Amino acid sequence: MVNKQIEIEQNFIRDAQSKYDNMRERMIEVGMFGTSSEGAVLKQLSFDNIATSLDEYMALKGQRGHGAKIHSFITDNFKGRSEVLAYTIIEVLLNNIGKSKTQITSLSISVINSVLNLLSVEDFKRNEPKFYSYLEYEYKSRGIGYINSRKLKLASKTGNKVIQEGTFKASVGSVLVDCVVSSGANLFEFISFRNMYTNNVERHVTLTQHAFEVIAKVRDKGIVSAINYKPMIIEPIPWDSLYGNGGYLTPNSITFIKHNKNHKALEKIENMDVDLSRLYKVVNGIQRTKWSINKKILDVVNTIIDNNMVNPMYPETNPMLYGDIPYMETIDVYKAVPKERYGALDAKGTHINLADYKRWFTDKEIQLKKLETIKSKRILFVLSLSIATEYTQYPHFYFTYNTDFRSRLYPIQQLLNPQSTGAIKSLLQFADGVLLTEEGLYWLKVHIANTYGLDKASYEDRVAWVDANTPAILRWAEDPITYLKEWNEADEPLLFLAGIQALQGHFKGLPVHIPISLDATCSGLQFYAGLLLDDDGGRAVNVVGTTSKPADVYTDVALKVEGYLESGDYPTKYSFVTKDNAQKTCDTVIEANDLQGNVTRKLTKPNVMTVPYSVTKRGMFEQVKELLDELEDNNKQFWRGDKWIVAKLLVDLNSRAIHEVVKGASIGQAFVKRVVREFYLDNEDKPLVWQTPFFNFPVIQWKNKMKQKRVKTALGNLSMRFPTGKINKQQQNNGVAPNLIHSLDATLEYLTVEALQEAGVTDFMLIHDSFGVPANDVPKLNKAVREGFIKLFEEKPLFSWVSQIDDKHLEEAKSIMINTLDLKEVRNSRYIFS
């Protein structure tokens, strides 16, 4: 098995090399080498020299005849814009040359054609600024090649392209190429050789040796990032230092702490000489969890995919298979959004009316965006499924872990892993099953109800629902394909199916292998309740409380928002400034009326969850807009007015309600930010450094100021960022609240797992604020997580943090404590993790 493990590791390294090289070859083939990783580095290294060379050419005097005409064309269009021209030329040269030499004549034509395209799109931007901005905003996630193709197509319809014919085009291109080669950038060079067939001497342009050396270095780094790490089939090598190969047998660059590529931070930790042995012991225990593939779920997934079993609850424009499995077929956007539906076409199939074309184009782009999302989900799922299929041959395997700079734990394996989506997680189970005790059966039923969507009900109601539906549930488990529609109504369909099949197996006397996970109620708010000992805040998120039904802060916020809407207590107008600096005002009454009765916990949850992590209003807006987009995509739109007004209104009301429901989080967040602001009044270029309670993990928050140079053109942007060695105080201030909370939630996770390991538990499924163990061990989990919470906050971690950052604020820290929460009551909380 050791030899097999080494073979697996060698294979995924070879696969990464092949994947990287194939991707680069494809980019060269389609003329997009300039947008590759290598192309980006080459552009940055050569840009300044080339822009200077173009400036020097445009400053030349005394040009005559043909040369004067060329000089005039370049100067008239690009005087004072040499950087725009430099970017355009470098992109063309890299896209055309790649690894090989290219004849100067054809290259010159390509350069001038790209320059003319740029001028054409600039003309389109002037004539159609709103349409241009729409492309830039809506499709920024699609990639520059896609956006440029759209721009050029629209420019040909609406712009006035500059035309220069004949030898003049080649001459202009030749001058521009010569400016690049003679710039001293050491990127391109001319070579001459005799054509063996024509006996003519030909002049070509090729990359220099220096350029190829740069490409080789970028490739080496790129291959490392392209490695798809797979689970281990033998027990991982334990961590005992910052460097340990991630448990693998062969050398690699994995470190125990992923530190945002900031090597200074790792060096600083080494110099701090901190003792992480206690943490290594916990993580090594987690890595010894034996996993296997749930073959029953794998069979169901393959059947659904092989038979293209489409869930009819989703619209044809945004399809999904049963089990929340991504749609696997290719959709033709032109059939989904047919041209003829938008107006009359000419003989060539082009819209006669430009307004019709714009409407069709906009809807087509919206549909393409949906298809791009479907494709991304499909690729992730298919890759994960292929690994699951491969690993069915092994009786068990292991995942390995490292941490981020806040000590949060993540699987090193990127695709199939216990922190993936519900559909992918359903393919995993503990290799060692357990015959259920009475308590284990109880918690399996709770898990089944949770995955169905009943996690807001009392435990008694969850178990009662399972008991009442057991005959039906067992039929669904026995024949999941026949009963697709029934089990697919669950919130997490495949996890629910895995649960009911486990229940069926239990009744047949078989061991149960699935993890039973309990989740925190908005853990960020729970941690602020603990930090400030805030009883009201704690009750809102189940830190304390013995009521039969769990508190639901997301619903509490939704009800408050509905109250504002019903009473008319909301902004009735929004004022804003347009891109052309015009002041505008719009009413919100229509959107407020549409919102009333439609504010669900789903529409408040993302904002509530991220407020403890210093989410900005802009971030909250993007969260809500994404939810509204999803409703729109699935034909569930409830509003008639403008979507952006609905989103803004909801964000404003959510924000207000959140601060009324959980005041402690606002107080704590404002305080830690204030400490950091004042810290940087006296400390210019120091990172923030603190160690977590119990495990001594060294959190180093080190955001550097970056020197940035941007060149923005109508066909692309070049952004060059260089570290200055100076601290970015604004980013340090914005990041401290979420980083402090994350460092504490990781500490609770480790305290909980440590206690469980001491109690004999060996199998774990962990996702930051969701802890999973075998069904029989859930009572131990309940005890461990409550005792861990008490232990953590009895240590007064806020005071410890302040003492490490700037102890002159210690008295102020004591003054903001609410001190109404009795930590001993946490032991009696029914639903702190549920």
Side-chain angles (χ1 to χ4, degrees):
M1 292 299 283
V2 170
N3 289 336
K4 181 64 178 173
Q5 175 61 38
I6 291 172
E7 181 186 336
I8 289 170
E9 294 177 27
Q10 290 172 338
N11 284 340
F12 63 56
I13 292 170
R14 276 197 295 269
D15 288 346
Q17 291 171 335
S18 176
K19 173 185 168 185
Y20 187 90
D21 289 340
N22 288 340
M23 180 178 66
R24 187 178 64 182
E25 290 302 322
R26 283 197 302 273
M27 294 184 86
I28 291 170
E29 243 177 70
V30 299
M32 291 188 67
F33 180 66
T35 60
S36 67
S37 300
E38 296 97 330
V41 173
L42 291 172
K43 280 187 283 192
Q44 291 194 18
L45 291 175
S46 62
F47 180 79
D48 285 340
N49 281 3
I50 292 171
T52 299
S53 179
L54 290 167
D55 274 332
E56 290 170 352
Y57 169 77
M58 286 187 275
L60 290 175
K61 305 291 184 185
Q63 300 286 319
R64 295 183 178 181
H66 193 64
K69 190 178 178 185
I70 295 170
H71 186 269
S72 177
F73 172 82
I74 295 172
T75 305
D76 290 348
N77 285 291
F78 295 102
K79 184 73 172 176
R81 299 200 306 146
S82 61
E83 292 184 337
V84 171
L85 183 57
Y87 173 86
T88 306
I89 302 168
I90 301 169
E91 192 85 8
V92 177
L93 294 182
L94 289 171
N95 288 342
N96 279 270
I97 293 172
K99 290 190 301 184
S100 60
K101 54 188 180 297
T102 305
Q103 194 172 9
I104 183 66
T105 305
S106 62
L107 193 58
S108 299
I109 293 293
S110 294
V111 166
I112 189 58
N113 281 340
S114 186
V115 169
L116 293 173
N117 282 339
L118 173 69
L119 296 173
S120 178
V121 172
E122 287 177 343
D123 197 34
F124 162 62
K125 182 180 179 180
R126 283 189 293 272
N127 294 336
E128 298 282 348
K130 288 186 178 179
F131 215 176
Y132 182 91
S133 295
Y134 169 81
L135 283 174
E136 292 269 285
Y137 177 75
E138 285 293 331
Y139 305 109
K140 58 188 174 186
S141 62
R142 297 286 194 88
I144 190 66
Y146 177 84
I147 293 176
N148 282 348
S149 69
R150 306 298 84 169
K151 287 178 181 176
L152 288 168
K153 190 165 185 178
L154 285 166
S156 68
K157 292 266 184 187
T158 62
N160 300 309
K161 188 172 181 178
V162 180
I163 303 294
Q164 297 287 349
E165 297 296 348
T167 57
F168 181 73
K169 286 177 70 173
S171 299
V172 175
S174 180
V175 167
L176 294 175
V177 171
D178 189 63
C179 283
V180 170
V181 175
S182 62
S183 67
N186 196 16
L187 187 60
F188 303 100
E189 63 183 353
F190 291 123
I191 60 169
S192 299
F193 67 94
R194 190 174 296 280
N195 189 311
M196 61 183 293
Y197 299 106
T198 64
N199 206 34
N200 293 330
V201 174
E202 294 182 357
R203 199 171 179 226
H204 288 239
V205 179
T206 186
L207 291 171
T208 62
Q209 181 60 34
H210 170 68
F212 283 116
E213 289 169 1
V214 171
I215 288 171
K217 287 179 182 177
V218 176
R219 175 184 179 271
D220 289 343
K221 289 184 178 179
I223 288 169
V224 170
S225 62
I227 293 174
N228 172 22
Y229 290 98
K230 293 184 179 180
M232 296 188 66
I233 60 172
I234 63 170
E235 193 170 297
I237 296 173
W239 288 104
D240 61 7
S241 75
L242 294 176
Y243 304 94
N245 297 338
Y248 290 103
L249 306 186
T250 52
N252 57 50
S253 59
I254 298 172
T255 54
F256 184 70
I257 303 174
K258 315 181 276 189
H259 222 289
N260 296 336
K261 301 179 183 175
N262 191 338
H263 297 295
K264 280 187 180 180
L266 283 175
E267 291 168 10
K268 186 173 180 66
I269 292 169
E270 288 178 308
N271 294 332
M272 289 170 67
D273 193 30
V274 291
D275 181 7
L276 294 177
S277 58
R278 184 174 176 180
L279 181 55
Y280 291 147
K281 183 179 178 182
V282 172
V283 174
N284 290 334
I286 295 167
Q287 291 187 157
R288 286 193 289 271
T289 299
K290 291 181 180 179
W291 295 87
S292 66
I293 298 300
N294 188 328
K295 294 179 183 178
K296 284 186 175 182
I297 296 296
L298 181 62
D299 288 342
V300 170
V301 168
N302 282 328
T303 300
I304 291 170
I305 292 173
D306 292 345
N307 293 281
N308 194 33
M309 295 180 171
V310 180
N311 185 347
M313 298 301 292
Y314 287 85
E316 290 182 5
T317 54
N318 192 40
M320 180 81 79
L321 301 184
Y322 278 102
D324 281 352
I325 298 169
Y327 190 70
M328 295 289 163
E329 307 264 324
T330 301
I331 299 173
D332 186 342
V333 68
Y334 295 98
K335 289 182 180 177
V337 188
K339 284 184 176 182
E340 56 272 16
R341 191 185 294 164
Y342 291 80
L345 307 175
D346 61 20
K348 295 181 179 179
T350 302
H351 285 104
I352 296 170
N353 187 305
L354 182 59
D356 292 339
Y357 172 79
K358 287 182 180 180
R359 284 190 307 109
W360 169 78
F361 182 86
T362 300
D363 286 355
K364 176 177 71 74
E365 294 303 296
I366 291 170
Q367 181 61 35
L368 278 170
K369 192 174 181 181
K370 293 179 191 176
L371 299 185
E372 193 65 31
T373 301
I374 292 170
K375 181 181 177 182
S376 298
K377 291 179 179 177
R378 177 169 66 238
I379 290 170
L380 174 65
F381 193 86
V382 167
L383 290 172
S384 301
L385 187 63
S386 69
I387 296 173
T389 303
E390 176 187 349
Y391 275 68
T392 55
Q393 65 184 297
Y394 304 116
H396 61 262
F397 51 86
Y398 305 85
F399 293 102
T400 59
Y401 295 83
N402 60 0
T403 76
D404 68 7
F405 74 98
R406 303 160 303 188
S407 84
R408 271 192 153 196
L409 196 68
Y410 292 89
I412 289 166
Q413 296 71 29
Q414 309 100 314
L415 295 170
L416 179 73
N417 69 58
Q419 292 185 9
S420 194
T421 64
I424 293 173
K425 283 191 299 184
S426 69
L427 299 168
L428 296 171
Q429 61 181 13
F430 293 141
D432 297 329
V434 293
L435 293 171
L436 295 187
T437 61
E438 187 175 339
E439 281 190 316
L441 176 59
Y442 176 90
W443 288 108
L444 173 60
K445 291 177 181 179
V446 169
H447 170 81
I448 289 170
N450 286 351
T451 55
Y452 192 77
L454 302 174
D455 52 320
K456 308 304 169 296
S458 68
Y459 284 141
E460 291 78 9
D461 287 346
R462 296 181 217 185
V463 172
W465 182 87
V466 174
D467 287 341
N469 289 281
T470 294
I473 282 172
L474 295 180
R475 286 196 300 273
W476 305 347
E478 182 67 32
D479 190 0
I481 299 304
T482 298
Y483 292 101
L484 268 177
K485 182 180 177 184
E486 285 76 8
W487 60 261
N488 192 73
E489 291 179 1
D491 278 2
E492 295 276 10
L494 287 170
L495 286 174
F496 173 73
L497 178 61
I500 64 175
Q501 287 182 334
L503 182 66
Q504 179 195 40
H506 163 73
F507 287 136
K508 292 180 179 180
L510 300 174
V512 168
H513 293 258
I514 66 167
I516 306 301
S517 294
L518 301 181
D519 299 349
T521 305
C522 193
S523 66
L525 294 179
Q526 287 185 335
F527 279 86
Y528 274 113
L531 276 174
L532 301 184
L533 296 179
D534 174 13
D535 185 84
D536 287 343
R539 290 185 187 280
V541 288
N542 297 304
V543 168
V544 289
T546 56
T547 55
S548 61
K549 188 177 178 182
D552 183 8
V553 68
Y554 311 122
T555 297
D556 292 344
V557 169
L559 291 172
K560 273 203 170 291
V561 171
E562 283 286 1
Y564 303 148
L565 292 167
E566 286 173 19
S567 63
D569 187 11
Y570 59 84
T572 56
K573 293 185 183 298
Y574 281 131
S575 296
F576 58 96
V577 178
T578 64
K579 285 192 175 181
D580 52 2
N581 289 321
Q583 185 75 32
K584 295 225 171 168
T585 300
C586 60
D587 294 328
T588 67
V589 177
I590 291 174
E591 289 78 8
N593 289 337
D594 291 342
L595 264 176
Q596 192 172 333
N598 288 299
V599 181
T600 62
R601 69 188 305 277
K602 184 175 181 179
L603 287 177
T604 64
K605 186 175 181 178
N607 287 177
V608 176
M609 286 179 69
T610 52
V611 157
Y613 306 114
S614 296
V615 66
T616 62
K617 278 289 188 78
R618 180 66 189 175
M620 293 173 76
F621 179 87
E622 291 298 331
Q623 291 169 347
V624 171
K625 182 179 178 296
E626 187 176 335
L627 290 172
L628 298 180
D629 287 344
E630 183 183 333
L631 289 170
E632 202 171 39
D633 290 346
N634 293 321
N635 294 339
K636 294 179 180 177
Q637 179 177 339
F638 60 77
W639 61 93
R640 295 161 296 156
D642 286 336
K643 182 166 59 176
W644 77 266
I645 297 178
V646 175
K648 179 164 175 50
L649 198 57
L650 192 51
V651 165
D652 287 344
L653 298 181
N654 279 351
S655 181
R656 180 175 153 198
I658 290 165
H659 292 298
E660 286 185 23
V661 172
V662 279
K663 297 183 178 70
S666 301
I667 295 169
Q669 199 174 111
F671 171 69
V672 296
K673 285 185 171 184
R674 188 160 61 250
V675 170
V676 170
R677 264 197 312 274
E678 295 187 20
F679 172 83
Y680 280 114
L681 294 177
D682 303 321
N683 299 276
E684 273 300 307
D685 294 314
K686 288 184 179 179
L688 294 174
V689 182
W690 70 91
Q691 291 186 35
T692 61
F694 304 104
F695 296 96
N696 306 318
F697 187 95
V699 180
I700 300 181
Q701 185 180 311
W702 200 336
K703 294 289 185 182
N704 274 312
K705 266 186 184 174
M706 304 297 287
K707 182 181 177 183
Q708 186 160 324
K709 181 171 185 178
R710 282 187 174 178
V711 180
K712 188 170 176 62
T713 80
L715 289 176
N717 305 320
L718 178 64
S719 180
M720 293 179 280
R721 290 165 56 84
F722 311 97
T724 63
K726 302 287 186 183
I727 287 288
N728 187 319
K729 297 176 184 178
Q730 186 64 47
Q731 287 188 9
Q732 291 289 85
N733 189 53
N734 290 341
V736 67
N739 291 335
L740 173 59
I741 294 299
H742 285 316
S743 72
L744 293 175
D745 73 29
T747 302
L748 176 61
E749 179 180 14
Y750 299 135
L751 284 171
T752 302
V753 172
E754 184 177 59
L756 287 169
Q757 289 171 342
E758 289 170 358
V761 180
T762 56
D763 292 334
F764 302 94
M765 184 178 201
L766 305 165
I767 316 177
H768 311 317
D769 59 356
S770 175
F771 305 160
V773 293
N776 292 346
D777 292 325
V778 175
K780 294 178 182 177
L781 170 60
N782 274 315
K783 180 181 179 183
V785 75
R786 286 160 176 78
E787 293 298 333
F789 193 93
I790 294 168
K791 191 174 183 179
L792 174 58
F793 291 106
E794 280 181 341
E795 284 289 300
K796 301 290 192 294
L798 181 61
F799 298 169
S800 170
W801 178 82
V802 171
S803 296
Q804 294 179 73
I805 300 297
D806 193 346
D807 60 8
K808 70 172 182 261
H809 292 280
L810 198 51
E811 288 305 313
E812 186 184 356
K814 293 175 182 177
S815 73
I816 68 162
M817 294 293 290
I818 297 173
N819 285 327
T820 54
L821 175 66
D822 181 356
L823 284 170
K824 293 184 180 65
E825 286 189 31
V826 173
R827 291 192 180 96
N828 301 318
S829 167
R830 295 200 81 199
Y831 299 109
I832 184 171
F833 269 66
S834 64

